[in-house]
Amino acid sequence: QVQLVESGGGLVQAGGSLRLDCAASGRTFSTLTLAWFRQAPGKERQFVALVNWRDDNAAYADSVKGRFTISKDNAKTTAYLQMNSLKPEDTAVYYCAADLHSWLPSKSTDGYAFWGQGTQVTVSS
């Protein structure tokens, strides 16, 4: 139904920047929400940011506020995560997730039916 392709992960020094892309293909709706989650070794997958296609609503985890910015390209059905001032604790596998009928966007993994394969982000000191 929906496929998600992520790109942009890599290795960067602390204080540097990376930009992640999530491109959605297949059938989508005006109620689409694309979200970013991340999972570090030995930890639960945690919410990072989301953006809603219906009203451009965006939300962020407290740990990334002021450093990360999520944006979207409606025509390309793509979400971008600009990550600035990266810290070693940002190191994780980053996953894109889609909710096709998100009238009330969720910050929980349970709210998303479709997931990308993940892309590794490593921040060195």
Side-chain angles (χ1 to χ4, degrees):
Q1 186 175 5
V2 174
Q3 296 80 45
L4 303 174
V5 179
E6 301 145 319
S7 62
L11 174 65
V12 66
Q13 293 184 357
S17 298
L18 286 173
R19 179 180 292 149
L20 305 183
D21 302 340
C22 174
S25 61
R27 186 174 183 181
T28 59
F29 301 87
S30 62
T31 49
L32 174 70
T33 291
L34 292 182
W36 289 98
F37 291 78
R38 66 187 183 186
Q39 187 167 21
K43 294 190 175 183
E44 295 288 325
R45 191 169 298 185
Q46 63 178 183
F47 170 77
V48 177
L50 65 83
V51 62
N52 180 263
W53 253 248
R54 175 175 56 84
D55 58 7
D56 294 336
N57 178 61
Y60 300 89
D62 289 342
S63 59
V64 306
K65 285 182 179 178
R67 299 188 298 119
F68 292 8
T69 302
I70 190 168
S71 60
K72 67 182 182 71
D73 185 323
N74 192 52
K76 296 181 179 179
T77 320
T78 298
Y80 307 92
L81 186 67
Q82 178 66 46
M83 305 186 295
N84 298 326
S85 302
L86 283 163
K87 304 174 181 179
E89 51 263 45
D90 295 318
T91 295
V93 177
Y94 283 69
Y95 297 90
C96 184
D99 178 9
L100 301 188
H101 302 95
S102 55
W103 298 107
L104 297 173
S106 176
K107 297 180 180 180
S108 171
T109 57
D110 292 341
Y112 297 88
F114 304 97
W115 294 82
Q117 293 283 355
T119 184
Q120 177 71 48
V121 172
T122 302
V123 184
S124 62
S125 300

